[in-house]
Amino acid sequence: MLEWLKEPEIHFPDQLQHAGFEHGVCVGQIQAKAGLTQSTVSEYLSILQRAGFIEAKRVGQWTYYKRNEGAFEALSKLIQTNL
Amino acid sequence: MLEWLKEPEIHFPDQLQHAGFEHGVCVGQIQAKAGLTQSTVSEYLSILQRAGFIEAKRVGQWTYYKRNEGAFEALSKLIQTNL
DNA sequence: TTGGCATATCGGGAAAAGTCGATATCTTTG
DNA sequence: CAAAGATATCGACTTTTCCCGATATGCCAA
């Protein structure tokens, strides 16, 4: 999922017709591609959010998730220096 | 354990009297400090080895483990570029 | 305000990981 | 080669993680 969110226009072409990618990709799109249930995907995304790897933006009835690139940079640096 | 192995002379002063740290730290030293059973520590170390994070060197009846810094560098870069 | 759609939360069952004791293997020493 | 010490492997049990269906919540449109 994290890799998918790196290039939304490539992995979620369906969403382009409805909304842009400014706020990220909505849960339904990710769920469809993941082939897991709605509840599983929702929970997974919320875990990634709490961990800081993605950010959520509620717009109407949809929740859009997008990557927080800073977190990946920080993790990379953490491994370099602390591990 | 990975952090301990970064500075063996600090975290495993006992071993200095018997052997150096050229080949790393032996299982018994790590086990004593970890407070887990011998079998658990041995299995854990072998997993880390298979994953490439540490290297094993058998010397007599002892097996010494030391960090493979390249693996950490590679992981850090992998997160930077692929994730 | 009610019905429908998108998402979130909850509780439970299945799968995986962690940990242990017992035992096997390997190595050195007598 | 037998005994003893260090490490590795095995089987079982416990804990954690994964994933689901059911249900709750939030939002929009009629």
Side-chain angles (χ1 to χ4, degrees), chain A residues 2-3 6 53 67 69 72-73 75-77 79-83, chain B residues 2-3 6 53 67 69 72-73 75-77 79-83:
Chain A
L2 293 172
E3 291 181 351
K6 218 174 175 179
F53 290 111
R67 291 167 55 100
E69 297 296 343
F72 296 93
E73 194 65 32
L75 177 60
S76 172
K77 283 199 166 56
I79 289 170
Q80 255 184 47
T81 62
N82 291 22
L83 206 69
Chain B
L2 293 172
E3 292 181 350
K6 220 175 173 178
F53 290 110
R67 289 167 57 100
E69 297 296 342
F72 296 94
E73 194 65 32
L75 178 60
S76 172
K77 283 202 164 58
I79 289 169
Q80 257 184 45
T81 62
N82 292 23
L83 205 71

Side-chain angles (χ1 to χ4, degrees), chain A residues 33-67:
Chain A
K33 195 173 173 70
L36 297 169
T37 64
Q38 187 274 323
S39 61
T40 298
V41 172
S42 175
E43 187 181 0
Y44 190 8
L45 289 170
S46 92
I47 289 170
L48 287 173
Q49 184 199 6
R50 283 197 298 278
F53 290 111
I54 59 179
E55 294 167 356
K57 168 83 175 175
R58 183 98 198 198
V59 178
Q61 37 188 4
W62 294 278
T63 305
Y64 295 92
Y65 286 98
K66 69 172 174 189
R67 291 167 55 100

Side-chain angles (χ1 to χ4, degrees), chain B residues 12-82:
Chain B
F12 304 98
D14 291 3
Q15 182 175 307
L16 194 53
Q17 304 165 340
H18 312 296
F21 295 112
E22 324 81 47
H23 299 125
V25 181
C26 71
V27 179
Q29 294 282 327
I30 298 171
Q31 190 227 322
K33 194 173 175 70
L36 297 169
T37 62
Q38 188 272 325
S39 61
T40 298
V41 172
S42 174
E43 186 180 1
Y44 190 9
L45 289 170
S46 90
I47 290 170
L48 287 173
Q49 184 200 6
R50 282 196 298 277
F53 290 110
I54 58 179
E55 294 167 355
K57 167 83 177 178
R58 183 98 199 199
V59 178
Q61 37 189 1
W62 296 278
T63 305
Y64 294 92
Y65 286 98
K66 69 173 174 186
R67 289 167 57 100
N68 174 15
E69 297 296 342
F72 296 94
E73 194 65 32
L75 178 60
S76 172
K77 283 202 164 58
L78 184 103
I79 289 169
Q80 257 184 45
T81 62
N82 292 23

Side-chain angles (χ1 to χ4, degrees), chain A residues 1 4 11-12 14 25-39 41-42 45:
Chain A
M1 290 183 193
W4 294 343
H11 296 104
F12 304 98
D14 291 3
V25 181
C26 72
V27 179
Q29 295 282 328
I30 298 170
Q31 190 225 320
K33 195 173 173 70
L36 297 169
T37 64
Q38 187 274 323
S39 61
V41 172
S42 175
L45 289 170

